[in-house]
Amino acid sequence: MAARIISNVDSNFFSFSYGTSIKTPIPRTQPLIGFPFKKRLNFEALCSIKEREREREIAAEKQGLASGVVVDDELKRKEGVGGEGFDLNWPPWKNLPQRYKLIGTTSLAFVICNMDKVNLSIAIIPMSHQFGWNASVAGLVQSSFFWGYALSQLPGGWLSKIFGGRRVLEVGVLVWSLATAMVPLLAGFMPGLVLSRVLVGIGEGVSPSAATDMIARTVPIEERSRAVSFVFGGLSFGSVLGLVLAPPLIEDYGWGSVFYIFGSLGIAWYLIFQVIKEDNLPFAASHQSWPQTGTMTKSWTSTLQDLGGSLTDMPWKEFFKSKAVWAMIYTHFCGSWGHYCCLSWLPTYFSEELDLDLTEAAWVSVLPPLASIFVTSIASQLADYWISNGVETTVVRKVCQTIAFMSPATCMILSSLDLGLSPWQVVAILTSGLALSSFALSGLYCTHQDISPEYASVLLGITNTVGAVPGIVGVALTGYLLDTTHSWGISLFAPSIFFYLTGTVVWLALASSNPQSFSKSD
């Protein structure tokens, strides 16, 4: 079959439609309902009559269709789109393009990721009462997660570059889920508890790089803000679910129940993901805007010599010669300080400062991530709209990241000053600021893919390694300052304000989304 294929792409990540034709003007077909994408592929194929009859026969055998089905409908189904009328294929997402399935399942993994991350911020309150921990010890326990998180960033980016993000993600989910389920068994033995949280950090630490690798290799730039926001937005949704579900589970079944149940969800995701992987082809390359390097299909049986060679071939020096990379490193550090400290300490802040019980404190803590889900959808649509209408990508990323930093900084200043605000006014102000920080998903978190799709996972591994340091230092330091000063303004808000402001200055001065080759110099 001789065919000439012409592809015109008009992408919108939240709604899509397909149209196909053979040597005819392109008709519009009914949009596919129930999944947020928009895509139009126009095909012009030249086929002989015999070849068309053969296609009809093969399709009838595979699908069990009547011999009168037209070739156009069969071609649509092969491209993952149902024709006009009813489509009896099941499940309904069976014919979706591969990158949409990847984005959806990865977002679900990130939902579970943050459920397992925030459960300790709720459970730490009854655990501290049971084991007699003060704020410093509680801060140490919570910060141990970030030890593993920091150590796994570069290995996660490197392994994603070698084996592909999909393989690394599934192993990471399994590791952190098993380690989460072990927490109640080890809680009375501090070294064991710390080790389990380190393992949770290692499993979750490889996941951002794995997701970045998949997005960089499968999603075109005009869909990238929405893809990144949809995947990483799963973290906010996971925080909401974790903070909502943890208190009633703890009150009814004890604090250990949240670790058993949340850990089981990750194990279930891993098992289901294996079935999905078997039913579908590997990563589709048809929608990539750059050639594959072959790393997506390598197996775990690659030799140690191959791995060592890939590590030495990485252009490490070139990475650190780039001002844009340094801007991403420092900006990631600054954003993580505010995010991780608030994630770990806000439930305690609301409980002690506002005199709320465990359930009330958890419900109030839900508000920032819940609002973030709404803000993320607006920010990603706006960023992709600007880019698709000719606004320079660097300008878009700088504007989004500036909003992401200046908003929480302003709101934390207002909350820490003695302005006579009521507790609920403070809650509203903090919720607004932290929600607007989600603009970072259309700023910093897209820049890794913008400047180098090939090395995006490695670059995120570098910046996220530094970004994990606030989780280790900042979370523990907040507990220490709280014990010594008894001031939430000094211990929680002041350091975050400082890093938000200085991060904004560095980002505006040095950040860039211009593609860089990072070729090794002789």
Side-chain angles (χ1 to χ4, degrees), residues 293-516:
T293 62
T295 60
M296 299 294 289
T297 58
K298 283 192 176 183
S299 69
W300 291 111
T301 59
S302 296
T303 64
L304 291 176
Q305 184 177 359
D306 292 337
L307 294 178
S310 67
L311 186 61
T312 57
D313 289 341
M314 204 71 66
W316 300 107
K317 291 183 180 179
E318 303 307 315
F319 292 153
F320 294 105
K321 288 180 181 179
S322 170
K323 293 181 180 179
V325 171
W326 282 108
M328 290 191 298
I329 289 173
Y330 185 69
T331 302
H332 208 141
F333 177 92
C334 295
S336 294
W337 188 288
H339 174 73
Y340 291 143
C341 289
C342 288
L343 185 69
S344 298
W345 286 104
L346 270 185
T348 306
Y349 168 78
F350 290 136
S351 177
E352 295 185 357
E353 192 73 5
L354 304 182
D355 295 324
L356 303 178
D357 61 32
L358 182 64
T359 301
E360 292 173 335
W363 273 104
V364 172
S365 300
V366 163
L367 296 178
L370 187 62
S372 294
I373 298 173
F374 174 74
V375 172
T376 295
S377 63
I378 295 177
S380 59
Q381 289 274 26
L382 185 62
D384 280 346
Y385 173 80
W386 284 338
I387 292 173
S388 63
N389 282 273
V391 180
E392 187 180 354
T393 306
T394 297
V395 174
V396 174
R397 304 304 184 210
K398 286 187 174 183
V399 169
C400 289
Q401 192 61 40
T402 300
I403 295 173
F405 275 5
M406 293 303 297
S407 299
T410 302
C411 292
M412 286 183 180
I413 291 172
L414 294 175
S415 299
S416 58
L417 295 176
D418 187 10
L419 300 177
L421 300 174
S422 69
W424 293 107
Q425 287 175 319
V426 173
V427 169
I429 291 173
L430 287 176
T431 297
S432 301
L434 294 174
L436 289 171
S437 68
S438 297
F439 266 83
L441 294 178
S442 299
L444 168 67
Y445 283 85
C446 288
T447 310
H448 305 80
Q449 297 110 14
D450 292 340
I451 67 175
S452 179
E454 181 180 3
Y455 295 110
S457 63
V458 180
L459 290 172
L460 184 64
I462 293 172
T463 65
N464 222 9
T465 298
V466 180
V469 173
I472 300 172
V473 178
V475 174
L477 180 62
T478 300
Y480 172 77
L481 291 176
L482 185 61
D483 276 341
T484 55
T485 66
H486 304 288
S487 170
W488 284 101
I490 295 175
S491 61
L492 181 59
F493 296 135
S496 297
I497 293 168
F498 170 80
F499 287 118
Y500 279 139
L501 296 179
T502 57
T504 300
V505 173
V506 171
W507 184 256
L508 291 175
L510 302 179
S512 173
S513 289
N514 296 329
Q516 301 183 31

Side-chain angles (χ1 to χ4, degrees), residues 40-370:
R40 186 181 66 195
L41 300 178
N42 306 327
F43 293 93
E44 181 181 347
L46 303 177
C47 307
S48 66
I49 296 177
K50 292 183 178 181
E51 289 169 335
R52 296 179 67 163
E53 291 175 350
R54 183 182 178 187
E55 286 290 324
R56 211 178 266 119
E57 293 172 357
I58 294 174
E61 289 180 4
K62 293 183 66 176
Q63 303 291 340
L65 301 174
S67 59
V69 177
V70 296
V71 176
D72 280 341
D73 285 342
E74 285 304 307
L75 290 175
K76 290 175 184 177
R77 287 187 175 88
K78 289 180 181 180
E79 290 302 322
V81 182
E84 302 277 21
F86 295 101
D87 187 353
L88 299 180
N89 287 330
W90 188 262
W93 56 83
K94 177 180 179 181
N95 291 326
L96 288 174
Q98 184 70 10
R99 73 183 187 280
Y100 300 161
K101 298 175 185 176
L102 290 172
I103 291 169
T105 54
T106 303
S107 181
L108 180 59
F110 277 36
V111 171
I112 301 171
C113 173
N114 252 31
M115 290 177 68
D116 290 338
K117 187 182 295 182
V118 304
N119 57 7
L120 185 62
S121 66
I122 300 296
I124 197 70
I125 299 175
M127 290 173 72
S128 297
H129 294 161
Q130 178 177 337
F131 297 107
W133 298 337
N134 58 23
S136 297
V137 175
L140 176 65
V141 172
Q142 295 195 81
S143 68
S144 61
F145 164 90
F146 296 98
W147 303 352
Y149 193 79
L151 291 173
S152 61
Q153 293 302 315
L154 277 176
W158 171 56
L159 291 173
S160 296
K161 176 71 167 61
I162 301 303
F163 297 112
R166 182 174 191 164
R167 297 179 184 275
V168 174
L169 177 65
E170 64 183 16
V171 174
V173 173
L174 182 62
V175 169
W176 93 55
S177 299
L178 291 173
T180 295
M182 291 170 55
V183 168
L185 304 176
L186 301 171
F189 180 57
M190 183 60 68
L193 175 61
V194 170
L195 176 61
S196 67
R197 292 302 293 178
V198 170
L199 290 175
V200 173
I202 290 174
E204 295 193 8
V206 302
S207 301
S209 295
T212 298
D213 179 81
M214 288 190 288
I215 294 171
R217 293 181 183 277
T218 60
V219 178
I221 190 171
E222 62 269 18
E223 291 181 2
R224 192 168 294 153
S225 296
R226 283 162 289 177
V228 171
S229 296
F230 189 77
V231 170
F232 286 87
L235 296 173
S236 295
F237 190 64
S239 296
V240 171
L241 284 182
L243 292 170
V244 168
L245 296 177
L249 287 173
I250 292 174
E251 291 182 350
D252 293 341
Y253 305 105
W255 59 262
S257 62
V258 296
F259 298 100
Y260 290 131
I261 295 174
F262 291 2
S264 298
L265 291 176
I267 297 172
W269 181 95
Y270 174 84
L271 296 175
I272 294 172
F273 193 65
Q274 304 308 303
V275 177
I276 293 175
K277 187 174 66 173
E278 291 173 359
D279 289 343
N280 294 282
L281 296 174
F283 297 125
S286 59
H287 302 294
Q288 291 180 195
S289 55
W290 51 85
Q292 287 197 43
T293 62
T295 60
M296 299 294 289
T297 58
K298 283 192 176 183
S299 69
W300 291 111
T301 59
S302 296
T303 64
L304 291 176
Q305 184 177 359
D306 292 337
L307 294 178
S310 67
L311 186 61
T312 57
D313 289 341
M314 204 71 66
W316 300 107
K317 291 183 180 179
E318 303 307 315
F319 292 153
F320 294 105
K321 288 180 181 179
S322 170
K323 293 181 180 179
V325 171
W326 282 108
M328 290 191 298
I329 289 173
Y330 185 69
T331 302
H332 208 141
F333 177 92
C334 295
S336 294
W337 188 288
H339 174 73
Y340 291 143
C341 289
C342 288
L343 185 69
S344 298
W345 286 104
L346 270 185
T348 306
Y349 168 78
F350 290 136
S351 177
E352 295 185 357
E353 192 73 5
L354 304 182
D355 295 324
L356 303 178
D357 61 32
L358 182 64
T359 301
E360 292 173 335
W363 273 104
V364 172
S365 300
V366 163
L367 296 178
L370 187 62

